[in-house]
Amino acid sequence: MTKIVIIGGVAGGASAAARARRVSETAEIIMLERGEFVSFANCGLPYHISGEIESRDALLLQTPESFKSRFNVDVRVFNEVIAIDRQAKRLNIRNHITHEIYQESYDKLLLSPGASPIKPPISGINNQFVHSLRNIPDMDRVLANLVLHKPKHATVVGGGFIGLEMVEALRHRGLEVSLLELADQVMGPVDIEMANILHQKLVDNKVDLRLKTGLTAVNECQIQLAEADITDDYDKPVPPHSHLQLTLSDNSTLATDLVILAIGVKPETSLASECGLVLGPLGGIRVDAGMRTSDADIYAVGDAIETADFVSGNPSLVPLAGPANRQGRLAADNMLGGDRLYRATQGTAICKLFDMAIASTGLNEKSLLRQAIPFEKIYVHTASHASYYPGAHPITLKLLFCPDNGRILGAQAAGIDGVDKRIDVLAVAQRAGMTVYDLADLELTYAPPFGSARDVVNQAGMVAANVLLGDEVTCHTQDLQALTATQIIVDVRNPGELTAVGAIDNAINIPLPQLRDRLNELPKDKELLLLCQVGLRGHVACRMLVQHGFKARNLSGGYKTYQMVNARF
């Protein structure tokens, strides 16, 4: 009989425990959790704070009792492993209820400690009105603060998934919100021109967005409420209002009542490091494709480990529930004699922000440049379903691919409707080894309420294939901004569009319907950089001009992409 001990629950540990029992009815399975909750929906925490998920119990997926009755797993909450003796295959455990320290042996050990919120060492950071959000107790503390102190203004520090979701949650509750982000954009997994769509959405929803701005100090002072505000709806005394004065990296100050730290997370590796397990170059636990650590009898999964990136093969830290769940399942099989392999992590993810979504898979342009991986990119702006059917919304899609063989390197999409579907299709295509040529041939569902006869993904594949086949040579915003004396910009939109939407200085405007009759106005000794609104008319113009002996390139994504790249907030 194999004795499996699992340290930590949630996506990785809990999925491993359930899978191990399904594989072996005779295995002894113990799960140790230092906190109270062994299996909860941490991705749902912001939505309970906002009130969109009404019941707190809805976030509790499994309890020790349900694990015992369904899977015969011995779940011990408030039991923290404080040391691992690899030679003796024994754990030292502290019971936080009885304060007893006891030992437990194992045959196979699984580490699923997760990651902890990054808390920078700045003055005042431990203030009672400064919160992180990683688990149920964190959520409870935020809600208690909202109910007890009735803050009017909140500051979210960090513009990643949790940060953006908390901005929305707090605005949903009626608070004024400032968002501080030290980088020049929110949502690091996407590139800045895509993030600019989020920036505009934040501004439109009256969020005080401060990019390139960090938090450097927190100071607290007490402000007595006005007499009319001293009681709440139940005529009970309300404590004096606590006011925070934040000092920011640009030397400005910000008055706020509540701070949510969402700077990011770091792998929980203290146990692994202390017992001598090898860590990877990024600071996570190093595992092989079977989830084995440097000790053959110890496995690790989830946010604490480094896995190979699907595109580059390089080590990566990807704190997402989906990969953790799959890793836990795979590790359970291998601990019980299996030989399954984890096939790297794509980092497929999506975030809701007010009425829109942004999603990505694979590597972004920043990562490709940093790792010196050659790539081409194209942009597509089109409708989420047939434009003549009511309710269609624009989707912006960025596709990154290998210039040699059309391999899909990454994709990003933003819009109100249908974003998840398109990125999911592209994530499957990427994992299956398909190329941009294959995207053009995908047969996807079509009816006017759901899509178009030529879906967004099909269009992206066709545009990318045109580039690889030489049917179109594209240019990008930086090419227009670095214009040389041997190039001119030709805008083929109608004059009314330039007035209504905007134009590029020094561009020649010849509307597409007139272009064929006005070819004599264009020089053949210069390269023509063409643009329209979203790239389609520019492509038509480009094909026409090339066949008439001109040298021409089309701005991928047109003026809409140009605006995205140059937006400033």
Side-chain angles (χ1 to χ4, degrees):
M1 180 176 70
T2 303
K3 183 177 181 180
I4 296 173
V5 178
I6 299 170
I7 302 176
V10 197
S15 63
R19 175 64 177 179
R21 177 57 70 218
R22 292 195 297 271
V23 172
S24 172
E25 187 62 25
T26 61
E28 181 182 0
I29 306 171
I30 300 171
M31 184 156 51
L32 303 169
E33 170 57 51
R34 65 185 173 188
E36 179 182 358
F37 303 97
V38 69
S39 180
F40 62 92
N42 51 2
C43 296
L45 302 180
Y47 301 108
H48 181 56
I49 291 173
S50 71
E52 293 166 280
I53 298 176
E54 295 182 6
S55 172
R56 178 178 180 273
D57 289 344
L59 302 176
L60 305 179
L61 306 179
Q62 292 283 352
T63 65
E65 294 75 21
S66 66
F67 256 109
K68 181 64 176 177
S69 62
R70 176 174 290 192
F71 299 112
N72 191 25
V73 172
D74 179 7
V75 177
R76 305 176 191 173
V77 295
F78 296 117
N79 277 251
E80 180 180 7
V81 177
I82 56 177
I84 300 171
D85 184 339
R86 291 168 49 198
Q87 284 68 40
K89 301 182 74 171
R90 188 169 55 236
L91 309 174
N92 289 343
I93 305 165
R94 176 182 288 116
N95 185 317
H96 285 291
I97 297 176
T98 66
H99 305 293
E100 168 198 9
I101 294 178
Y102 67 98
Q103 295 184 330
E104 191 71 64
S105 64
Y106 66 86
D107 295 320
K108 301 292 182 182
L109 178 65
L110 176 67
L111 304 180
S112 181
S116 57
I118 294 173
K119 199 171 186 179
I122 65 175
S123 173
I125 197 70
N126 293 319
N127 188 282
Q128 62 176 323
F129 300 105
V130 178
H131 300 273
S132 296
L133 185 65
R134 187 67 180 170
N135 52 39
I136 296 286
D138 290 341
M139 179 190 73
D140 290 342
R141 284 188 284 269
V142 173
L143 285 170
N145 193 314
L146 292 170
V147 172
L148 183 62
H149 299 286
K150 299 184 178 356
K152 304 296 183 184
H153 183 279
T155 299
V156 176
V157 184
F161 289 94
I162 294 295
L164 292 177
E165 290 163 358
M166 280 305 300
V167 165
E168 179 183 356
L170 294 167
R171 289 294 293 133
H172 193 79
R173 292 184 67 106
L175 278 72
E176 297 297 318
V177 179
S178 294
L179 173 59
L180 310 180
E181 172 53 59
L182 192 57
D184 59 355
Q185 67 164 89
V186 301
M187 192 52 64
V190 303
D191 293 310
I192 190 166
E193 71 275 24
M194 301 296 293
N196 277 337
I197 302 174
L198 296 177
H199 299 157
Q200 187 63 58
K201 182 61 64 174
L202 290 163
V203 171
D204 290 345
N205 282 273
K206 303 188 187 311
V207 175
D208 172 27
L209 174 63
R210 305 194 185 193
L211 300 172
K212 300 181 181 179
T213 305
L215 176 65
T216 59
V218 179
N219 295 288
E220 180 182 349
C221 58
Q222 297 292 327
I223 296 178
Q224 184 65 42
L225 291 175
E227 186 66 29
D229 296 328
I230 293 297
T231 59
D232 62 16
D233 295 339
Y234 301 95
D235 293 325
K236 296 177 182 178
V238 176
H241 188 54
S242 181
H243 174 76
L244 300 178
Q245 188 83 2
L246 307 182
T247 304
L248 309 182
S249 60
D250 60 1
N251 296 319
S252 66
T253 59
L254 175 63
T256 194
D257 307 314
L258 174 70
V259 174
I260 303 294
L261 295 178
I263 300 171
V265 296
K266 58 182 178 181
E268 284 272 16
T269 60
S270 55
L271 276 175
S273 178
E274 289 166 5
C275 75
L277 296 179
V278 175
L279 303 185
L282 303 180
I285 302 170
R286 193 182 76 184
V287 296
D288 64 14
M291 299 293 109
R292 298 172 188 86
T293 68
S294 53
D295 185 316
D297 291 319
I298 301 179
Y299 295 69
V301 298
D303 298 355
I305 70 168
E306 295 182 11
T307 58
D309 176 78
F310 186 83
V311 174
S312 67
N314 295 328
S316 64
L317 290 169
V318 184
L320 294 173
N325 190 294
R326 296 193 300 276
Q327 292 159 10
R329 190 173 187 273
L330 184 150
D333 284 354
N334 290 345
M335 286 190 291
L336 290 165
D339 190 24
R340 296 186 58 201
L341 300 179
Y342 183 71
R343 295 179 54 206
T345 299
Q346 294 168 270
T348 308
I350 189 167
C351 181
K352 173 183 176 293
L353 182 63
F354 300 107
D355 63 347
M356 70 164 289
I358 190 159
S360 63
T361 191
L363 294 182
N364 55 33
E365 183 174 349
K366 296 172 294 187
S367 299
L368 293 169
L369 288 170
R370 186 171 60 251
Q371 299 178 58
I373 299 174
F375 68 93
E376 286 279 2
K377 62 180 178 180
I378 59 96
Y379 300 87
V380 172
H381 307 282
T382 188
S384 56
H385 61 246
S387 58
Y388 57 82
Y389 186 88
H393 296 284
I395 287 184
T396 291
L397 175 65
K398 178 179 184 178
L399 182 63
L400 299 147
F401 53 97
C402 178
D404 295 327
N405 55 23
R407 177 191 176 207
I408 300 167
L409 302 177
Q412 302 157 39
I416 292 176
D417 178 52
V419 169
D420 54 341
K421 176 168 71 171
R422 274 61 186 221
I423 290 297
D424 282 345
V425 169
L426 288 167
V428 171
Q430 183 184 56
R431 184 161 288 275
M434 299 172 69
T435 69
V436 298
Y437 302 109
D438 298 311
L439 298 182
D441 291 331
L442 290 180
E443 187 172 328
L444 305 173
T445 57
Y446 163 58
F450 303 105
S452 300
R454 186 170 61 186
D455 188 79
V456 182
V457 174
N458 296 133
Q459 290 188 45
M462 292 173 184
V463 174
N466 282 341
V467 171
L468 294 181
L469 294 170
D471 292 339
E472 175 177 288
V473 181
T474 57
C475 61
H476 297 286
T477 297
Q478 59 266 34
D479 297 312
L480 273 62
Q481 294 172 328
L483 199 68
T484 69
T486 61
Q487 298 171 317
I488 61 172
I489 302 172
V490 180
D491 191 328
V492 299
R493 294 177 294 167
N494 297 323
E497 293 178 77
L498 278 64
T499 303
V501 180
I504 297 176
D505 293 340
N506 301 318
I508 298 173
N509 178 221
I510 303 178
L512 179 61
Q514 303 173 20
L515 184 60
R516 190 172 283 103
D517 297 326
R518 296 174 61 181
L519 296 177
N520 61 312
E521 299 178 28
L522 298 173
K524 287 193 173 182
D525 61 343
K526 292 189 176 183
E527 183 180 48
L528 310 179
L529 303 184
L530 303 167
L531 77 137
C532 63
Q533 186 59 26
V534 297
L536 178 58
R537 284 172 291 174
H539 170 66
V540 174
C542 190
R543 294 299 302 151
M544 179 195 306
L545 290 168
V546 167
Q547 293 179 71
H548 281 278
F550 291 89
K551 184 179 180 181
R553 288 194 283 162
N554 182 33
L555 177 63
S556 183
Y559 188 72
K560 186 170 183 177
T561 298
Y562 182 87
Q563 287 180 305
M564 288 164 50
V565 173
N566 288 294
R568 296 292 180 266
F569 296 88

